[in-house]
Amino acid sequence: MQKPRLSVFPSHELAHAASSGTPSSPMGATSGPRAVNLKISPETSAKRVNHELDRAAGTLEPRSVTVRLATIVPLLLDAVEHNRTWLSDFSDDTVRLDADLFEVLLAYQELREEAAA
């Protein structure tokens, strides 16, 4: 069974750039992977800076995505196992769970605590 992979473009601009990329070799060959031209105009750069400043100040609605649990659990387990420091950056973030899953997790937590006692 193939593992699920995250493949998300951060914006429609990058998705468009990737689909209309330029040849990867200086000779203009079109075979193989295409290089993506990521030249950013000063106007776009200023918008991104302002957007991130608004996000940091808490005046911007946080972004969210919907992802299958089977996609993120292996990645999170690997990050915990290898003690990745970036994981702590998100330790105060909230996560929305299905109520059924939350109840199962609470029951599992109780079972683990009883077994440890």
mmCIF file of all heavy atoms in Angstrom, residues 67-70 72-73 95-109:
data_model
loop_
_atom_site.group_PDB
_atom_site.id
_atom_site.type_symbol
_atom_site.label_atom_id
_atom_site.label_comp_id
_atom_site.label_asym_id
_atom_site.label_seq_id
_atom_site.Cartn_x
_atom_site.Cartn_y
_atom_site.Cartn_z
ATOM 1 N N VAL A 67 -7.269 17.789 5.787
ATOM 2 C CA VAL A 67 -6.346 16.725 5.400
ATOM 3 C C VAL A 67 -6.794 15.440 6.087
ATOM 4 O O VAL A 67 -7.231 15.466 7.247
ATOM 5 C CB VAL A 67 -4.901 17.060 5.843
ATOM 6 C CG1 VAL A 67 -3.929 15.994 5.402
ATOM 7 C CG2 VAL A 67 -4.483 18.412 5.326
ATOM 8 N N ARG A 68 -6.659 14.325 5.381
ATOM 9 C CA ARG A 68 -6.985 13.035 5.983
ATOM 10 C C ARG A 68 -6.010 12.725 7.110
ATOM 11 O O ARG A 68 -4.815 12.997 6.998
ATOM 12 C CB ARG A 68 -6.912 11.934 4.937
ATOM 13 C CG ARG A 68 -8.016 11.973 3.920
ATOM 14 C CD ARG A 68 -7.836 10.872 2.928
ATOM 15 N NE ARG A 68 -7.130 9.756 3.576
ATOM 16 C CZ ARG A 68 -7.461 8.486 3.483
ATOM 17 N NH1 ARG A 68 -8.430 8.133 2.728
ATOM 18 N NH2 ARG A 68 -6.775 7.553 4.109
ATOM 19 N N LEU A 69 -6.516 12.143 8.171
ATOM 20 C CA LEU A 69 -5.695 11.771 9.307
ATOM 21 C C LEU A 69 -4.590 10.801 8.896
ATOM 22 O O LEU A 69 -3.455 10.891 9.367
ATOM 23 C CB LEU A 69 -6.586 11.148 10.392
ATOM 24 C CG LEU A 69 -5.973 10.929 11.759
ATOM 25 C CD1 LEU A 69 -5.529 12.262 12.363
ATOM 26 C CD2 LEU A 69 -6.959 10.242 12.674
ATOM 27 N N ALA A 70 -4.906 9.896 7.966
ATOM 28 C CA ALA A 70 -3.916 8.925 7.488
ATOM 29 C C ALA A 70 -2.736 9.603 6.802
ATOM 30 O O ALA A 70 -1.666 9.009 6.694
ATOM 31 C CB ALA A 70 -4.580 7.936 6.525
ATOM 32 N N ILE A 72 -1.440 12.742 7.793
ATOM 33 C CA ILE A 72 -0.593 13.505 8.715
ATOM 34 C C ILE A 72 -0.028 12.687 9.874
ATOM 35 O O ILE A 72 1.031 13.013 10.391
ATOM 36 C CB ILE A 72 -1.318 14.754 9.264
ATOM 37 C CG1 ILE A 72 -2.558 14.371 10.068
ATOM 38 C CG2 ILE A 72 -1.648 15.705 8.142
ATOM 39 C CD1 ILE A 72 -3.171 15.535 10.803
ATOM 40 N N VAL A 73 -0.724 11.625 10.295
ATOM 41 C CA VAL A 73 -0.243 10.861 11.449
ATOM 42 C C VAL A 73 1.160 10.301 11.233
ATOM 43 O O VAL A 73 2.029 10.463 12.107
ATOM 44 C CB VAL A 73 -1.251 9.765 11.857
ATOM 45 C CG1 VAL A 73 -0.636 8.760 12.809
ATOM 46 C CG2 VAL A 73 -2.471 10.400 12.493
ATOM 47 N N VAL A 95 -6.368 22.066 17.064
ATOM 48 C CA VAL A 95 -6.692 21.132 16.000
ATOM 49 C C VAL A 95 -8.165 20.764 16.142
ATOM 50 O O VAL A 95 -8.629 20.481 17.248
ATOM 51 C CB VAL A 95 -5.819 19.861 16.087
ATOM 52 C CG1 VAL A 95 -6.187 18.870 15.008
ATOM 53 C CG2 VAL A 95 -4.349 20.225 16.017
ATOM 54 N N ARG A 96 -8.883 20.773 15.039
ATOM 55 C CA ARG A 96 -10.299 20.386 15.070
ATOM 56 C C ARG A 96 -10.390 18.892 14.764
ATOM 57 O O ARG A 96 -9.877 18.426 13.751
ATOM 58 C CB ARG A 96 -11.075 21.180 14.025
ATOM 59 C CG ARG A 96 -12.563 20.888 14.034
ATOM 60 C CD ARG A 96 -13.257 21.750 13.022
ATOM 61 N NE ARG A 96 -13.139 23.146 13.382
ATOM 62 C CZ ARG A 96 -14.131 23.861 13.919
ATOM 63 N NH1 ARG A 96 -15.290 23.313 14.121
ATOM 64 N NH2 ARG A 96 -13.954 25.122 14.214
ATOM 65 N N LEU A 97 -11.044 18.157 15.675
ATOM 66 C CA LEU A 97 -11.199 16.709 15.524
ATOM 67 C C LEU A 97 -12.673 16.347 15.453
ATOM 68 O O LEU A 97 -13.514 17.014 16.049
ATOM 69 C CB LEU A 97 -10.592 15.963 16.712
ATOM 70 C CG LEU A 97 -9.103 16.064 16.960
ATOM 71 C CD1 LEU A 97 -8.741 15.346 18.244
ATOM 72 C CD2 LEU A 97 -8.337 15.493 15.790
ATOM 73 N N ASP A 98 -12.950 15.261 14.788
ATOM 74 C CA ASP A 98 -14.278 14.693 14.814
ATOM 75 C C ASP A 98 -14.572 14.277 16.260
ATOM 76 O O ASP A 98 -13.689 13.745 16.948
ATOM 77 C CB ASP A 98 -14.313 13.483 13.874
ATOM 78 C CG ASP A 98 -15.669 12.849 13.822
ATOM 79 O OD1 ASP A 98 -16.518 13.372 13.086
ATOM 80 O OD2 ASP A 98 -15.862 11.830 14.528
ATOM 81 N N ALA A 99 -15.789 14.485 16.745
ATOM 82 C CA ALA A 99 -16.144 14.178 18.140
ATOM 83 C C ALA A 99 -15.942 12.702 18.448
ATOM 84 O O ALA A 99 -15.502 12.350 19.557
ATOM 85 C CB ALA A 99 -17.585 14.603 18.421
ATOM 86 N N ASP A 100 -16.256 11.817 17.501
ATOM 87 C CA ASP A 100 -16.060 10.380 17.728
ATOM 88 C C ASP A 100 -14.587 10.047 17.947
ATOM 89 O O ASP A 100 -14.241 9.274 18.846
ATOM 90 C CB ASP A 100 -16.595 9.569 16.547
ATOM 91 C CG ASP A 100 -18.107 9.606 16.448
ATOM 92 O OD1 ASP A 100 -18.770 9.924 17.460
ATOM 93 O OD2 ASP A 100 -18.624 9.317 15.359
ATOM 94 N N LEU A 101 -13.726 10.613 17.138
ATOM 95 C CA LEU A 101 -12.294 10.372 17.300
ATOM 96 C C LEU A 101 -11.822 10.889 18.649
ATOM 97 O O LEU A 101 -11.044 10.229 19.342
ATOM 98 C CB LEU A 101 -11.499 11.028 16.164
ATOM 99 C CG LEU A 101 -9.978 10.972 16.293
ATOM 100 C CD1 LEU A 101 -9.481 9.530 16.362
ATOM 101 C CD2 LEU A 101 -9.319 11.714 15.143
ATOM 102 N N PHE A 102 -12.302 12.050 19.056
ATOM 103 C CA PHE A 102 -11.898 12.617 20.335
ATOM 104 C C PHE A 102 -12.316 11.703 21.488
ATOM 105 O O PHE A 102 -11.542 11.463 22.416
ATOM 106 C CB PHE A 102 -12.488 14.019 20.504
ATOM 107 C CG PHE A 102 -12.039 14.704 21.762
ATOM 108 C CD1 PHE A 102 -10.717 15.078 21.928
ATOM 109 C CD2 PHE A 102 -12.937 14.964 22.785
ATOM 110 C CE1 PHE A 102 -10.290 15.709 23.093
ATOM 111 C CE2 PHE A 102 -12.526 15.594 23.943
ATOM 112 C CZ PHE A 102 -11.199 15.966 24.099
ATOM 113 N N GLU A 103 -13.522 11.157 21.431
ATOM 114 C CA GLU A 103 -13.984 10.247 22.481
ATOM 115 C C GLU A 103 -13.129 8.979 22.527
ATOM 116 O O GLU A 103 -12.791 8.488 23.604
ATOM 117 C CB GLU A 103 -15.449 9.899 22.261
ATOM 118 C CG GLU A 103 -16.380 11.054 22.549
ATOM 119 C CD GLU A 103 -17.829 10.740 22.244
ATOM 120 O OE1 GLU A 103 -18.175 9.548 22.091
ATOM 121 O OE2 GLU A 103 -18.621 11.681 22.155
ATOM 122 N N VAL A 104 -12.774 8.449 21.366
ATOM 123 C CA VAL A 104 -11.913 7.256 21.317
ATOM 124 C C VAL A 104 -10.545 7.579 21.910
ATOM 125 O O VAL A 104 -9.974 6.782 22.666
ATOM 126 C CB VAL A 104 -11.787 6.737 19.869
ATOM 127 C CG1 VAL A 104 -10.698 5.687 19.755
ATOM 128 C CG2 VAL A 104 -13.121 6.187 19.391
ATOM 129 N N LEU A 105 -10.001 8.744 21.593
ATOM 130 C CA LEU A 105 -8.702 9.140 22.150
ATOM 131 C C LEU A 105 -8.765 9.286 23.664
ATOM 132 O O LEU A 105 -7.825 8.882 24.373
ATOM 133 C CB LEU A 105 -8.216 10.431 21.501
ATOM 134 C CG LEU A 105 -7.803 10.331 20.039
ATOM 135 C CD1 LEU A 105 -7.530 11.719 19.466
ATOM 136 C CD2 LEU A 105 -6.601 9.430 19.875
ATOM 137 N N LEU A 106 -9.851 9.856 24.191
ATOM 138 C CA LEU A 106 -9.993 9.981 25.643
ATOM 139 C C LEU A 106 -10.069 8.605 26.303
ATOM 140 O O LEU A 106 -9.437 8.370 27.344
ATOM 141 C CB LEU A 106 -11.240 10.800 25.993
ATOM 142 C CG LEU A 106 -11.160 12.300 25.725
ATOM 143 C CD1 LEU A 106 -12.496 12.960 26.033
ATOM 144 C CD2 LEU A 106 -10.043 12.941 26.530
ATOM 145 N N ALA A 107 -10.826 7.685 25.705
ATOM 146 C CA ALA A 107 -10.927 6.333 26.246
ATOM 147 C C ALA A 107 -9.569 5.639 26.204
ATOM 148 O O ALA A 107 -9.171 4.958 27.172
ATOM 149 C CB ALA A 107 -11.975 5.532 25.464
ATOM 150 N N TYR A 108 -8.849 5.814 25.111
ATOM 151 C CA TYR A 108 -7.519 5.218 24.985
ATOM 152 C C TYR A 108 -6.572 5.779 26.037
ATOM 153 O O TYR A 108 -5.787 5.050 26.646
ATOM 154 C CB TYR A 108 -6.983 5.460 23.573
ATOM 155 C CG TYR A 108 -5.615 4.874 23.339
ATOM 156 C CD1 TYR A 108 -5.420 3.498 23.324
ATOM 157 C CD2 TYR A 108 -4.508 5.697 23.149
ATOM 158 C CE1 TYR A 108 -4.169 2.952 23.120
ATOM 159 C CE2 TYR A 108 -3.254 5.158 22.940
ATOM 160 C CZ TYR A 108 -3.089 3.793 22.931
ATOM 161 O OH TYR A 108 -1.848 3.254 22.730
ATOM 162 N N GLN A 109 -6.653 7.076 26.272
ATOM 163 C CA GLN A 109 -5.811 7.718 27.283
ATOM 164 C C GLN A 109 -6.098 7.121 28.663
ATOM 165 O O GLN A 109 -5.168 6.832 29.431
ATOM 166 C CB GLN A 109 -6.063 9.222 27.296
ATOM 167 C CG GLN A 109 -5.233 9.973 28.297
ATOM 168 C CD GLN A 109 -5.533 11.455 28.300
ATOM 169 O OE1 GLN A 109 -6.615 11.883 27.908
ATOM 170 N NE2 GLN A 109 -4.583 12.244 28.746
#
